Amino acid sequence: MELRIGNSVLDIERGTLRRDGEIVPVRPKTFELLAFLVRNPGRVLSKDELFEAVWPNTIVSEDSLTQCIRDVRKCIGDETQSLVLTVPRRGYMLQAAETGLPQPPAAVAAEARRAAEPMVAILPFRVDPADAKARPLFDGAVEEITNALSYFKTIAVLARHSAFALAEHSAQDISATAGRLGADYVAEGSVESAEDGYSAHVMLTETASGCRVWAQTFSFRTSEIFAFQKAVAQRIAMALVANIESAAMRRAPPAPAANVEAYFHILRGMALLRSYGEGVNQEARQHFLKALERDPGSGLAHAYLALADVIIGGYAAAPRAVLDEARDRALHATALSPDEARCHRILAVTLLYRGRGEYVAAEKHFARALDLNPYDADTLAQTGFFQVLQGNSEAGLALLDQAVQLNPMHPAWYYFDRGEALLVLGRYREAAASFSCLPRKNVWHWARLAACHALDGDIDRARACVREGRQLDPALTVEDIVTDFHIRRAEDGEHLHSGLERAGWNDAGMDP
């Protein structure tokens, strides 16, 4: 199989690299790294993922990876680093447009999207650190502006998680980094406190040229934050897309709450749910309850309260009564806010955890969420995971890859969902690399890693993962793990069962 990168051709089967028709000497590890980059064009690959793919079961320093990247660039003539890009604090990415590879479905869809719609990164506002309320208020404003822009369906928006991570690189050239992540435009702003509200200066810049496309100053009372969010989203849309239909412009996404105090509690709860730590989910739940005390009609608060209950209950392992109540609350949320995509997504996730009997209804609400907001990365990722469970692994992986493109600096759970898809597809080494990126591995994660390594032929690595997993739960059996693998096709469960048996999960001699 021959793969093209710029003016170089990589022959996977023969293990050769030719540049301008001439054979280029390549070290074995350099070849493995280049092959892995070429198989994953247009995707930011973390350092941990690269270590797992190229140096499995081996401890190497970061200098080894840096030197190997240098060798790759030298071998393919990438002195300008225009093919293999460094993404600060994240890893490396091979430019998909330059590889000459047959593009995977997600990449094809992304190219079509970029040809038709611009992508925008909405960065967090710069606020006065002395104003304790300004930071959560305007961080929430960024989230709602991002959400509102996606409702126009003519603009793709870099996911909030990645946009905020991008802002951490403020000492570097943000426009250049945003461009590498696929953002054509960057929106940023600064906020000053006024007597009874705020003055916010917002500007939109093209990443390629650095030219300012639009800028405006908004002055408003704190209670008018929702009107401010809507106005910014509409101004950005008008600045970028001249042919937006008037009906779409008039269509306002639903407000997250009727008053600012409820809104503060929703924002705080959402932030806690995204974080890790002892008691954070319970604390998030209390914020959603406080939001509902102030605004009982907030569909978003009802939806996130349902999600918090499912998470606290243990997802699919939650007691049936908890899942029933969460479903009813999420249904109530969609009735209160029928055009709020996040409510439909959370209802779909809740139905998913209730079991296969709810899959038809879950699919309906995943589809509704995507119809309402087709560029929400979390919805794409969770819909992709759902497709994997349904047995549509290729389609699911394509949606997951699209989610990663919109949210390249994504949260850790993307690694698990993508690993599941790769495991089902039989791409065991890539699946292991994805599962390995999870920062906090529970027994279920170690089990999947053990199966991936065993099915890939690395029994020593598989047994090491078994030992880690059994230390967490010595009583967990292969049958328990396969049952938790909620895959529709029986043969996929059989593959997992086979991998776990090869790894020795049920072997009494593996007890810690």
Side-chain angles (χ1 to χ4, degrees):
M1 178 181 180
E2 291 189 347
L3 305 171
R4 182 173 296 278
I5 320 101
N7 62 347
S8 302
V9 177
L10 188 72
D11 190 322
I12 298 293
E13 294 178 358
R14 296 181 180 178
T16 60
L17 175 71
R18 298 194 307 276
R19 195 171 82 222
D20 296 326
E22 299 292 329
I23 293 290
V24 178
V26 186
R27 294 189 179 100
K29 289 299 181 185
T30 302
F31 188 91
E32 286 185 41
L33 177 59
L34 179 56
F36 190 71
L37 287 166
V38 169
R39 289 192 183 103
N40 294 274
R43 186 166 74 84
V44 178
L45 301 170
S46 70
K47 293 176 182 179
D48 286 343
E49 198 170 355
L50 294 172
F51 282 134
E52 182 65 28
V54 182
W55 294 275
N57 202 27
T58 305
I59 298 175
V60 295
S61 69
E62 195 166 312
D63 289 341
S64 298
L65 176 59
T66 303
Q67 182 58 51
C68 210
I69 288 288
R70 288 198 198 101
D71 289 345
V72 164
R73 287 169 172 155
K74 182 178 179 181
C75 289
I76 63 176
D78 185 27
E79 291 81 5
T80 61
Q81 300 184 20
S82 59
L83 296 178
V84 180
L85 307 179
T86 300
V87 181
R89 299 187 185 183
R90 289 292 296 170
Y92 299 92
M93 181 176 74
L94 182 68
Q95 282 278 45
E98 301 291 339
T99 62
L101 289 172
Q103 296 292 299
V108 173
E111 284 190 12
R113 188 271 308 158
R114 293 201 60 189
E117 304 109 0
M119 179 185 276
V120 186
I122 313 295
L123 301 186
F125 286 87
R126 296 183 295 277
V127 300
D128 181 359
D131 187 340
K133 282 194 170 183
R135 171 53 61 202
L137 183 68
F138 283 92
D139 281 357
V142 169
E143 177 141 2
E144 296 309 320
I145 291 167
T146 298
N147 189 55
L149 276 171
S150 296
Y151 272 81
F152 292 120
K153 301 186 181 180
T154 49
I155 298 169
V157 191
L158 191 70
R160 174 195 182 279
H161 190 279
S162 289
F164 274 56
L166 171 62
E168 294 177 4
H169 305 306
S170 56
Q172 305 171 23
D173 186 344
I174 283 183
S175 291
T177 306
R180 294 187 189 114
L181 296 179
D184 305 289
Y185 297 88
V186 171
E188 52 190 327
S190 58
V191 176
E192 293 182 0
S193 299
E195 184 175 347
D196 61 346
Y198 296 95
S199 177
H201 181 73
V202 188
M203 66 178 180
L204 184 70
T205 306
E206 186 180 38
T207 54
S209 65
C211 294
R212 182 179 298 180
V213 176
W214 161 80
Q216 187 171 342
T217 299
F218 300 82
S219 296
F220 55 93
R221 293 189 294 272
T222 303
S223 60
E224 297 171 334
I225 185 70
F226 306 121
F228 163 70
Q229 293 166 177
K230 176 182 175 182
V232 171
Q234 288 184 331
R235 299 298 190 280
I236 291 173
M238 287 189 291
L240 296 181
V241 186
N243 62 347
I244 290 180
E245 299 176 1
S246 58
M249 289 301 298
R250 288 194 299 270
R251 178 188 179 191
N259 65 69
V260 174
E261 285 302 314
Y263 181 49
F264 269 118
H265 285 294
I266 291 173
L267 294 177
R268 184 59 183 148
M270 290 165 65
L272 285 164
L273 278 188
R274 292 187 179 116
S275 66
Y276 296 92
E278 188 69 29
V280 292
N281 297 321
Q282 289 79 0
E283 189 179 348
R285 186 180 192 277
Q286 291 305 310
H287 280 287
F288 297 134
L289 287 171
K290 289 176 182 177
L292 289 171
E293 288 175 6
R294 291 156 178 79
D295 180 15
S298 171
L300 200 62
H302 278 288
Y304 273 100
L305 178 57
L307 180 60
D309 284 338
V310 170
I311 293 172
I312 293 167
Y315 301 96
R320 191 68 180 184
V322 171
L323 292 173
D324 287 346
E325 184 176 350
R327 175 204 57 196
D328 293 344
R329 186 176 290 280
L331 277 168
H332 183 54
T334 60
L336 290 169
S337 301
D339 292 330
E340 172 55 77
R342 289 168 290 186
C343 291
H344 287 278
R345 169 168 60 85
I346 290 171
L347 174 57
V349 169
T350 302
L351 292 169
L352 172 62
Y353 289 128
R354 282 173 51 80
R356 294 181 182 177
E358 302 278 17
Y359 277 13
V360 172
E363 185 170 26
K364 171 188 171 184
H365 287 283
F366 275 128
R368 178 60 176 155
L370 276 180
D371 179 61
L372 286 166
N373 193 340
Y375 295 124
D376 180 74
D378 287 355
T379 300
L380 285 164
Q382 289 177 328
T383 305
F385 180 64
F386 175 74
Q387 291 297 328
V388 172
L389 297 183
Q390 291 284 77
N392 305 319
S393 302
E394 289 284 2
L397 183 61
L399 287 170
L400 283 158
D401 286 346
Q402 190 178 347
V404 169
Q405 186 160 32
L406 285 169
N407 195 4
M409 298 179 180
H410 52 75
W413 60 266
Y414 280 41
Y415 289 120
F416 177 83
D417 290 2
R418 197 168 184 278
E420 291 274 81
L422 292 165
L423 172 56
V424 172
L425 287 169
R427 292 160 61 175
Y428 303 123
R429 184 169 297 189
E430 291 176 71
S434 195
F435 288 129
S436 294
C437 291
L438 291 164
R440 295 183 178 183
K441 298 179 184 63
N442 60 33
V443 63
W444 310 101
H445 302 153
W446 286 115
R448 283 159 173 76
L449 261 174
C452 288
H453 287 305
L455 291 167
D456 193 44
D458 191 343
I459 300 300
D460 289 341
R461 183 65 171 168
R463 289 183 176 273
C465 292
V466 170
R467 285 191 290 272
E468 294 284 355
R470 289 179 68 87
Q471 283 181 352
L472 297 174
D473 188 350
L476 194 69
T477 67
V478 168
E479 290 69 26
D480 295 331
I481 298 163
V482 174
T483 300
D484 179 69
F485 194 55
H486 297 286
I487 298 293
R488 170 172 286 185
R489 298 193 316 170
E491 57 265 36
D492 294 326
E494 290 167 4
H495 287 151
L496 178 63
H497 195 287
S498 172
L500 290 165
E501 285 194 331
R502 290 187 207 176
W505 191 278
N506 277 349
D507 186 349
M510 293 296 294
D511 286 337

